[in-house]
Structures are given as structure tokens and as C-alpha cells.
């Protein structure tokens, strides 16, 4: 499938053709992903705007495994400047299924009167083109316009085609009317080699190859220029190969650095988390240490005050052996004693219920009353404990300030 006639002169028809083939659905749809179709359309429009000699088409492409698929192609000629003359090299650019994420396939498409040069640094005997631009294809910056420009430059350094030499037409010497070919040959200066080449005597869609008949050109070319051109081409290939190798090495190194950076960040997060946990533990241990030191000071003071009193005392009453230092401590002692006493009573009621010594309804009534009373004692003890903690903190602060002043 190709665009209608006059596509090169009418960009609107070209856009309509590309929009039509890229928007098809079903079995006839082109095998490109939806997220790349717009970019493919832009690449082809830019290519045909810059190089009108390339026509858009859809054709069947056969893979090496025998699969056939309908693909877009650019069929036409690529300009090749050589020794002051611009030649047209016929090529076909296939946009594969993975385009533009991967490079297209470019083939030199010689006519019947052309032969692919063997060996050639960029073109295989089958016509497949392999230039550094295709090997270093980078999505999404690489495009078809730059590709054709690179093809033109590489072909100019090393033309891929040359015309076949054909035997001159046999013309009878007795013919008084010379043929058009002979007349045009004589205009060319009487060179018999030029008369043997059809490209020099008749118009063609593809001008004559710069190789022509090898004997004539070898006499006109300067050996120094040929050597210089070949050396420059070799150096360019070597530079491109070195750049590609360095690029691969740098990409691998960057990937390794990224992996190392990610691992270091994970370790940094783990270390920060561990430091925060350690700081929390240190603060908790310091609070416990201050509490132990304060309680030790209190016990030491109490032992010193009561050590002399116990020497002459023989019978000590347990209930009066310890005295509360303030009302808050006495309240805490009373609430704790009442709480523990209620626990004992509940335990005794459970035993009595198991032995059927107490009726069930009486058991429930006593448990409800005891639980309410126990709740109030525990709530009071909680409030008293909070007040004692505040008082202890204030005492510790006062001691620390007095210590620093001293």
C-alpha cells in the first residue's frame, strides 16, 4: 500500500495516508505499539519533508524465521555527493515492529544495472546497511532524518554501488546514419569506455555510479587522495567503535554506582533508625538511673535515722514499724492495702462459690460491690502515683541545680 499520487507535492495527503495506516485496527493493523505511533508519524513526516525522494509505503516483510508482517517502509533514493557530483543511491528503510525504540533496517536496493561493491565496510553482499548511527541508536533522540544524513555522509566516503560494464552495441560500419548512442558518445570526447556505459548516454532515475569503468577512474584519481580517504574512513570507524565501547563501559559503571548509592541509602536509613532507638533507650535508662539514685538516697537517709532506734527495741509492731513521710504516701498505702484486701475477698468468694457455700445471686451482688470499690481505690492510687512522680522530678531538678551551684 502506498500513498496516492502526488504525495511528495502535497504534505496533507502524506499526513492523511500515515494517519490512515497507523489508525487501522483488526487483522490489517500495523504491529506498532499505541504509545509510539504518534512519534513514528512525526519521524516519517519530517523525513519526507526533508527528503522528498523517499516515498512512504506499507509492504510485507519476511523475517528469518519465515514470519511475514505488514510494516511501514521508506522507499526511494539517498543523495550521495562524490567528487563534486551528487548521485542517488536507491535504499529501502524498514520500520520494524519495535521502532522507534530500536533502529530500523536499511537495505541498499540496486537496480539491474548496478552491483553492490564487495567488500564494503558498511553494506553486506545482501544489501543490509550497518553504520555506526544504527549501532548507537538511542531512543527517543535518534530519528530518520539524521539517519539519512549519516547514510549520505558514509556513502560519500565509500560508495556502495557501481554500474555493470556492458559490451558496446555492435554497429555496422556500413550504416551511414550513426545511432544516438554513438552521437552522444562523440560529444563526450570520444572516450570508448564512456560509450560502453548506458548511464552516460541515456537518462536514468539513478545517475551513474562513481565507480563506472574501473580503468578510466583509476587513471584520473590521485592515489594520495584515495589513500587519504581510506585512512580517514578507517579512523572514523575506529573512533566510533571506541566511543561505543567507552559508552558501554560508562553505562555499566553508572549502573554499578546507582546500585551502590541505593545500598548506601538503605544502610543510612537503618543507621538513623538504630541511632534513634539507642537515644530513646539512653533517655529511658537515664530516667531509671535517676529514680534508683533517688530511692537509694531516701533509703540511706531512713536507715541512718532509724538505725539507733532499733538497738533498744525488742518487740517491733509491723504495722507501726514504717511510717509514711507525707499524706500522699499514706494515701497510696491505704489504697494499695484496700486493693489487695479486695483481691483476697474476691478469691475467697470464688472458692466459696465453687464449693456451693454461697448462693449465686449473693455472689454476684458481692462481686459487683467489691469491684466498684476496687475501681475507686485503683483510680485514686493512679492519681496519687502521678502526683508523687511530679514531686520526685521537682526534687531531682532541685538537687541537680544545687549540685551544679556547689
Amino acid at each position: 500500500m502506498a500513498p496516492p499520487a502526488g504525495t511528495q507535492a502535497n504534505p496533507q495527503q502524506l499526513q492523511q495516508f500515515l494517519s490512515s495506516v497507523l489508525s487501522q485496527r483488526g487483522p490489517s493493523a500495523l504491529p506498532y505499539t499505541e504509545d509510539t505511533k504518534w512519534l513514528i508519524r512525526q519521524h516519517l513526516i519530517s523525513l519526507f519533508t526533508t527528503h522528498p525522494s523517499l516515498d512512504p509505503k506499507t509492504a510485507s516483510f519476511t523475517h528469518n524465521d519465515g514470519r511475514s508482517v505488514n510494516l511501514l517502509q521508506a522507499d526511494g533514493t539517498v543523495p550521495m555527493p562524490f567528487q563534486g557530483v551528487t548521485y542517488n543511491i536507491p535504499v529501502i528503510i524498514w520500520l520494524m515492529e519495535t521502532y522507534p525504540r530500536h533502529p530500523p533496517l536499511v537495505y541498499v536496493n540496486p537496480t539491474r544495472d548496478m552491483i553492490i561493491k564487495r567488500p564494503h565496510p558498511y553494506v553486506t553482499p545482501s544489501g543490509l546497511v550497518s553504520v555506526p548511527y544504527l549501532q548507537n541508536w538511542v531512543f527517543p533522540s535518534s530519528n530518520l532524518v539524521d539517519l539519512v544524513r549519516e547514510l549520505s555522509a558514509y556513502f560519500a566516503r565509500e560508495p556502495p554501488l557501481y554500474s555493470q560494464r556492458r559490451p558496446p552495441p555492435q554497429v555496422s560500419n556500413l550504416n551511414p546514419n550513426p545511432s544516438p548512442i554513438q552521437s552522444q558518445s562523440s560529444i563526450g570526447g570520444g572516450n570508448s569506455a564512456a560509450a560502453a556505459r548506458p548511464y552516460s548516454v541515456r537518462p536514468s532515475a539513478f545517475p551513474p555510479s562513481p565507480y563506472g569503468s574501473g580503468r578510466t577512474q583509476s587513471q584520473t584519481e590521485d592515489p594520495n587522495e584515495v589513500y587519504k580517504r581510506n585512512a580517514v574512513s578507517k579512523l572514523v570507524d575506529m573512533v566510533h567503535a571506541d566511543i561505543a565501547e567507552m559508552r558501554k563501559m560508562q553505562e555499566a559503571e553508572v549502573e554499578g554506582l546507582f546500585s551502590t548509592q541505593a545500598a548506601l541509602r538503605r544502610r543510612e536509613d537503618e543507621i538513623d533508625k538504630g541511632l534513634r532507638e539507642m537515644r530513646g533507650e539512653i533517655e529511658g535508662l537515664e530516667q531509671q538511673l535517676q529514680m534508683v539514685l533517688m530511692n537509694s538516697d531516701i533509703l540511706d537517709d531512713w536507715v541512718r535515722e532509724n538505725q539507733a532506734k532499733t538497738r533498744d527495741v525488742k518487740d517491733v509492731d509491723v504495722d507501726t514499724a514504717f511510717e509514711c513521710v507525707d499524706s500522699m504516701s499514706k494515701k497510696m498505702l491505704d489504697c494499695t492495702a484496700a486493693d489487695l484486701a479486695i483481691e483476697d475477698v474476691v478469691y475467697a468468694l470464688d472458692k466459696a462459690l465453687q464449693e456451693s457455700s454461697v448462693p449465686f445471686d449473693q455472689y454476684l451482688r458481692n462481686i459487683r460491690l467489691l469491684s466498684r470499690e476496687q475501681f475507686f481505690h485503683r483510680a485514686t492510687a493512679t492519681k496519687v502515683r502521678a502526683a508523687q512522680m511530679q514531686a520526685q522530678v521537682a526534687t531531682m531538678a532541685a538537687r541537680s541545680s544545687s549540685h551544679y551551684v556547689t
Side-chain angles (χ1 to χ4, degrees), residues 201-216:
V201 298
R202 60 183 177 88
S204 173
F206 310 109
S209 169
Y211 288 94
S213 56
R215 182 181 303 173
T216 304

Side-chain angles (χ1 to χ4, degrees), residues 243-303:
I243 291 175
E245 187 67 23
M246 291 175 61
R247 180 178 178 182
K248 291 180 181 179
M249 294 174 60
Q250 290 178 355
E251 288 178 352
E253 185 178 358
V254 169
E255 290 294 333
L257 292 176
F258 281 152
S259 301
T260 304
Q261 184 182 20
L264 291 175
R265 286 179 176 175
R266 288 195 300 270
R267 294 180 181 178
E268 181 182 7
D269 295 338
E270 294 176 358
I271 291 174
D272 291 340
K273 182 180 178 182
L275 288 175
R276 288 193 298 269
E277 293 177 354
M278 291 177 63
R279 291 192 184 99
E281 292 179 0
I282 290 173
E283 293 177 358
L285 291 174
E286 288 179 351
Q287 292 178 359
Q288 294 181 7
L289 178 60
Q290 294 295 333
M291 186 67 65
V292 170
L293 292 176
M294 184 182 65
N295 292 333
S296 298
D297 294 340
I298 294 173
L299 289 175
D300 290 339
D301 294 341
W302 185 84
V303 169

Side-chain angles (χ1 to χ4, degrees), residues 53-225:
S53 60
L54 292 167
D55 296 329
K57 296 180 181 178
T58 57
S60 179
F61 181 85
T62 303
H63 289 275
N64 294 333
D65 57 2
R67 291 184 298 107
S68 295
V69 61
N70 201 29
L71 298 175
L72 279 168
Q73 65 171 210
D75 187 5
T77 60
V78 173
M80 183 192 71
F82 187 78
Q83 294 183 352
V85 181
T86 299
Y87 300 91
N88 294 323
I89 303 298
V91 297
I92 298 179
I93 302 176
W94 288 93
L95 306 187
M96 306 307 293
E97 298 95 321
T98 56
Y99 184 85
R101 301 184 185 279
H102 295 86
L105 288 183
V106 182
Y107 285 90
V108 172
N109 188 26
T111 62
R112 290 181 299 177
D113 298 330
M114 294 183 179
I115 296 178
I116 298 175
K117 179 187 176 183
R118 299 184 184 182
H120 193 275
Y122 307 118
V123 182
T124 64
S126 63
L128 180 63
V129 179
S130 177
V131 295
Y133 189 83
L134 292 172
Q135 299 171 2
N136 301 326
W137 185 274
V138 178
F139 173 80
S141 60
S142 299
N143 56 78
L144 297 178
V145 175
D146 294 341
L147 171 61
V148 172
R149 188 182 299 113
E150 291 292 324
L151 291 175
S152 178
Y154 283 106
F155 289 167
R157 289 198 294 266
E158 192 73 24
L161 301 176
Y162 65 93
S163 60
Q164 301 185 69
R165 296 184 60 187
R166 292 186 176 183
Q170 296 180 359
V171 181
S172 175
N173 294 331
L174 301 177
N175 187 1
N177 297 323
S179 65
I181 297 179
Q182 290 176 335
S183 300
Q184 295 181 12
S185 299
S186 62
I187 294 174
N191 190 348
S192 61
R197 291 170 52 194
Y199 288 99
S200 62
V201 298
R202 60 183 177 88
S204 173
F206 310 109
S209 169
Y211 288 94
S213 56
R215 182 181 303 173
T216 304
Q217 189 167 358
S218 62
Q219 295 176 358
T220 58
E221 285 188 356
D222 186 3
N224 294 330
E225 292 295 330

